[in-house]
Amino acid sequence: MGTLYLVRHGQASFGADDYDQLSERGHQQSVRLGQYWRERGLRFDAVFTGTLRRHGQTLAGIAEGLDGTPEPLALPGLNEYDSLALIRAVHPSPLPAPATPELYRQYFRLLCDALAQWMGGTLSPQGMPDWEQFRTGVRAVLEQVRQQHAGQNVLLVSSGGPISAAVGEVLSTPPEVTIALNMRIRNSAVSEFSISPKRLMLQTFNSLAHLDAPEYAQWVTHA
């Protein structure tokens, strides 16, 4: 039986003009994950990513630490939802930069509210697919992995939204649980699905085993 390793990108640039760029910490997290896998002799037979910059940068860091990965297949179905479009749909006035804990919490309260409405079909943010189209893109990638890579080790680098949607597909979770899972996935965290020709099964969720040592205690981030 093979294993699908779903990795959320390293820390990006939350609060900056361009979020879609790994921070220095995000690069360190990615390289460390690759090193961790190299130390354990793990190699990949196939690699999938989204097309966002932070996905490619995370994979580059993993490849640096792992000393190489197969050529990735970049798929738009693994791209994150547009969090700013979601928030604008429920809060049209501009938000201040999330520079304090309270403003940070406000941002994510609004995002969770918008996600619930979008997933329930009552909100259509500008320029975004609806929830069913988003799920269909994630489901198509999972089917491709199941059909073509049973018995192999597969790496998938994406974002919290697609990864939580993938877990939701495997476990048949309701939308509110999928949102809760989404909000808990940490940067560079690994979730694992076993791959058989018949199904995918969840083995681990949101693991940071590569950051377990005391010297990496400050490397755990959420955005």
Side-chain angles (χ1 to χ4, degrees), residues 47-97:
V47 177
F48 294 82
T49 73
T51 65
L52 300 177
R53 191 184 313 132
R54 58 189 182 272
H55 299 156
Q57 291 172 342
T58 299
L59 177 59
I62 292 170
E64 179 183 336
L66 188 57
D67 197 22
T69 61
E71 189 67 24
L73 179 59
L75 299 171
L78 294 174
N79 288 349
E80 184 63 290
Y81 51 71
D82 186 339
S83 58
L84 294 181
L86 280 158
I87 289 174
R88 280 195 300 268
V90 296
H91 192 283
S93 348
L95 287 173

